[in-house]
Amino acid sequence: MLLRLLRNGRITNSIKTVQRNWFVRSFTLYCEFPRPSILLKKHDYPILSQLHEFSQNSPTRCRADSLTYDKACDETLDSLAEYFEELVDRSPHLKDADVTYGDGVLTVKFGEPYGTYVINRQTPNQQIWLSSPFSGPKRYDFLGGQWVYRHDGITLHELLEREVQRIVKHNVDFRRCQHSRPTSR
């Protein structure tokens, strides 16, 4: 939609129409997909310019090929399922806990008062999605051999380590799971 509006020469805002000649500086390559690189006058649109600056500072997401994504997803979810099983077995206070994994969906029910984690693959977006009872929903991209949440730069494994340690009440080490560390170059 944005590209169609830009090609027509203007973007309509509820306040006023912004002409293309000063709004769009250039188009840049965003992996294989074009993305407008926008130059905004901060005094005219301070909120839009803040959003643009935030997106410029976030890590770049490139689409991995399908086979790499599928393999990374399978390895990650398999290793997380195994580790969650081990953690539940070592935690006698979690009597109602249950770990299930199938069809790309890992569900970890810790019971009351802790809640349920759901970690699943999102093949169209090439992401892993997490639903946490503590931090809510997050979408992770596969960057540098790790699953990274682009908005804060924290990896899936780091977040799980922080949150699950409070539930199981002993030290956890999610770094032993697949794709928890950056790949060395």
Side-chain angles (χ1 to χ4, degrees), residues 3-102:
L3 292 175
R4 184 175 41 214
L5 291 171
L6 292 173
R7 283 188 200 117
N8 292 337
R10 61 184 178 169
I11 294 179
T12 304
N13 191 313
S14 60
I15 300 171
K16 64 181 177 178
T17 300
V18 182
Q19 293 300 321
R20 178 181 182 198
N21 58 359
W22 68 266
F23 190 77
V24 177
R25 184 180 59 187
S26 65
F27 285 93
T28 60
L29 200 62
Y30 184 61
C31 294
E32 291 101 24
F33 305 102
R35 180 186 77 148
S37 177
I38 300 171
L39 178 64
L40 300 173
K41 293 182 178 178
K42 291 185 181 189
H43 61 275
D44 289 341
Y45 293 98
I47 294 172
L48 288 176
S49 63
Q50 288 171 1
L51 290 173
H52 174 65
E53 288 171 5
F54 180 76
S55 68
Q56 289 293 87
N57 294 331
S58 62
T60 313
R61 185 181 97 170
C62 288
R63 294 199 181 270
D65 62 77
S66 299
L67 295 175
T68 303
Y69 166 77
D70 288 338
K71 182 179 178 195
C73 256
D74 290 339
E75 291 172 350
T76 301
L77 292 172
D78 284 339
S79 67
L80 285 174
E82 288 176 20
Y83 192 59
F84 273 116
E85 286 281 351
E86 183 181 317
L87 290 174
V88 167
D89 290 343
R90 289 187 354 211
S91 304
H93 68 284
L94 298 173
K95 292 177 177 70
D96 298 331
D98 183 39
V99 179
T100 57
Y101 174 56

Side-chain angles (χ1 to χ4, degrees), residues 95-158:
K95 292 177 177 70
D96 298 331
D98 183 39
V99 179
T100 57
Y101 174 56
D103 293 328
V105 180
L106 171 62
T107 306
V108 183
K109 297 177 184 175
F110 284 113
E112 289 298 325
Y114 306 111
T116 301
Y117 283 85
V118 179
I119 306 169
N120 64 299
R121 69 171 52 230
Q122 285 295 317
T123 304
N125 301 338
Q126 291 191 344
Q127 294 176 326
I128 285 183
W129 288 7
L130 166 74
S131 174
S132 163
F134 298 105
S135 58
K138 296 193 184 297
R139 299 173 178 193
Y140 291 89
D141 295 299
F142 193 61
L143 302 170
Q146 295 179 293
W147 295 99
V148 179
Y149 184 56
R150 293 186 314 133
H151 298 285
D152 61 12
I154 295 175
T155 68
L156 171 66
H157 295 83
E158 289 170 341

